């Protein structure tokens, strides 16, 4: 009789582990705002140091990040366009 009890215990343990793993592995639906908030909260000092080191070693990557941020904000190359007065933007000044 004790063999059956032990066998049932292990069977119940396996079924419970399988059911628990199914519940844990179920994907959760998250919005982009939730993802951005979690990323901002989990930014560690080590990650910040590695990013700063990467920017120092590869300045082109740092500039590209800056340009991407400016393009998202809609302010990329605004200063260059505001300085020109009159004429076509595509023509150089000496062609007129």
């Amino acid at each position: 009789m004790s063999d059956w009890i032990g066998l049932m215990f292990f069977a119940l343990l396996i079924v419970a582990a399988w059911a628990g793993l199914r519940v844990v592995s179920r994907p959760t639906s998250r919005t982009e705002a939730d993802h951005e908030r979690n990323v901002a909260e989990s930014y560690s000092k080590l990650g910040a140091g590695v990013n700063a080191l990467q920017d120092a070693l590869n300045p082109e990557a740092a500039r590209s990040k800056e340009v991407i941020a400016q393009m998202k904000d809609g302010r990329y190359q605004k200063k260059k366009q505001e300085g020109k007065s009159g004429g076509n933007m595509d023509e150089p000044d000496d062609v007129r």
Side-chain angles (χ1 to χ4, degrees):
M1 182 69 181
S2 63
D3 290 338
W4 286 105
I5 294 172
L7 186 61
M8 291 300 285
F9 172 75
F10 283 116
L12 182 64
L13 183 67
I14 290 171
V15 169
W18 178 77
L21 287 174
R22 295 275 298 180
V23 169
V24 171
S25 67
R26 185 176 304 143
T28 58
S29 60
R30 293 180 3 187
T31 63
E32 187 174 335
D34 292 338
H35 176 71
E36 293 295 328
R37 185 179 65 244
N38 288 343
V39 168
E41 290 173 356
S42 67
Y43 201 63
S44 65
K45 290 181 182 180
L46 178 63
V50 169
N51 284 341
L53 180 64
Q54 180 66 27
D55 290 345
L57 294 176
N58 191 0
E60 293 86 15
R63 176 67 183 142
S64 68
K65 288 179 190 176
E66 185 177 323
V67 167
I68 290 170
Q70 287 177 358
M71 290 179 80
K72 284 182 180 179
D73 292 341
R75 54 186 171 91
Y76 180 66
Q77 292 185 339
K78 289 288 183 176
K79 291 180 183 176
K80 292 180 182 178
Q81 292 175 357
E82 290 172 359
K84 304 266 183 174
S85 61
N88 191 355
M89 294 293 291
D90 296 333
E91 294 180 7
D93 290 334
D94 58 346
V95 174
R96 291 186 209 165

